[in-house]
Amino acid sequence: MKTSKVVAHRVVIKVGSSTLTAGTARLNRRRMLELAQQIVQVREKHVEVLLVTSGAIAAGRERFRNSHRPLTKSVPVKQMLAAVGQSHLMLAWEQIFDMFDVQIGQVLLTRADLSDRRHYLNARDALNAMLAHQTLPVINENDAIATEEIRVGDNDNLSALVANVVQADLLLILTDQDGLFTADPRKDATATLIREVAQLDESIWTLAGASRSGLGVGGMTTKLQAADLATRSGVTVVIANGGRQNAIMDAVCGESVGTCFLPVVNHIESRKRWILSERTTGAVIVDEGAAHAVCDGKSLLPVGVREVIAEFDRGEVIAVRDSSGRDIAHGISRYSAAEARRIAGRKSVEIEGVLGFEYASMLIHTDDMVLMNPAP
Ligand code: GLU
């Protein structure tokens, strides 16, 4: 086996229905096993992996294949298929990962969980806790209850949102094609694989129109949408063939596999831009010690908070002010204003006793904070 060096340390791997079924109408467990083996190999190299898996509806259809009552294409029937299929999909993954002693955990998400501020933090904290405990998050959209308004709709975009939430280095989208081609390779013999995309411009979007994949919801268009979203939040994206040997290890080692989309910003920049673009909904006045700590790049602990101004929710961006009323930083609050008032001036170890629960030991984590006038 090759001994290339790992370049991506946190990776979201999206496996589409066409890959999971290997082009048939049912889950292909051998294909799933091959993918799991590759995931285990990269985990052994200390790469953190999150798996976004499609196939719930495909697995549901498999269970109903002998049903006499025809299945309509209505939304409730698809929801039912997803409800039935999701547990079979998970069972299949669980049995496979059990062979490698890998603990997995199911996470079913909707758009609201990844965009609504409070839910976003909950999803992020849960995924991070799983990674911290060497548990492999196995993620899908919550198709059984997700209706149009709260659906992401396809797992390509879902995987990009997840990659953004956990600040992955790499989003690997495994599909039944080798990547993005200059033309549809099934129709045009001159079509060549595009190895690298530095800028996702109009010419690239035009190429996607030509290609449609069979089983999954997403053709190349949703993959490009995902690449666009993820690269804007600092994630490298690779679209590769899920049937290719060692696709996962090669991508994680930065070797040329499929089409690679380069990030347009780094994580920190993207996060800072987001925080600065948000209107602050409240503020905290902090004491001198906390003001110094924050300016030194430390998290803001409740013990340094003197006063909480206005009402805000967990997950909203608030201002951190010194005693003269000057904004020294803006950041995402882990607690609501009401909760912050109750823990203000208290030591972090007291949080649980005061509130009855603890989201985090700090009010604002340094990674979620932008200094307004950083030292030169
Ligand atoms: N969430 C859907 C499923 O598990 C698949 C969506 C997609 O393939 O993009 O069946």
Side-chain angles (χ1 to χ4, degrees), residues 14 17 53-58 89 140-141 143 153-156 216-218:
K14 184 261 169 175
S17 298
T53 177
S54 302
I57 295 175
L89 177 65
N140 196 357
E141 180 145 30
D143 292 310
D154 65 88
N155 279 4
D156 294 321
V217 181

Side-chain angles (χ1 to χ4, degrees), residues 89-163:
L89 177 65
M90 273 314 277
L91 182 66
W93 280 123
E94 193 164 77
Q95 286 171 338
I96 290 168
F97 279 108
D98 264 354
M99 291 192 262
F100 302 99
D101 276 332
V102 170
Q103 177 67 54
I104 67 171
Q106 171 179 263
V107 183
L108 297 177
L109 297 167
T110 60
R111 181 177 287 282
D113 301 315
L114 299 165
S115 42
D116 174 272
R117 294 176 186 135
R118 209 162 5 143
H119 291 169
Y120 167 95
L121 271 192
N122 293 344
R124 189 178 79 174
D125 289 352
L127 293 171
N128 281 334
M130 292 170 82
L131 294 175
H133 290 87
Q134 279 76 46
T135 296
L136 174 77
V138 179
I139 304 163
N140 196 357
E141 180 145 30
N142 198 349
D143 292 310
I145 57 116
T147 49
E148 260 345 289
E149 313 84 76
I150 56 164
R151 288 189 79 192
V152 178
D154 65 88
N155 279 4
D156 294 321
N157 278 292
L158 180 76
S159 64
L161 291 166
V162 169

Side-chain angles (χ1 to χ4, degrees), residues 16-32 54-66 88-89 92 215:
S17 298
S18 57
T19 303
L20 286 175
T21 57
T24 68
R26 43 195 304 186
L27 290 179
N28 183 316
R29 279 145 179 99
R30 174 187 285 201
R31 172 60 68 74
M32 293 171 80
S54 302
I57 295 175
R61 272 191 213 291
E62 193 180 322
R63 310 302 299 180
F64 279 91
R65 67 184 180 279
N66 296 324
H88 285 279
L89 177 65
L215 259 183

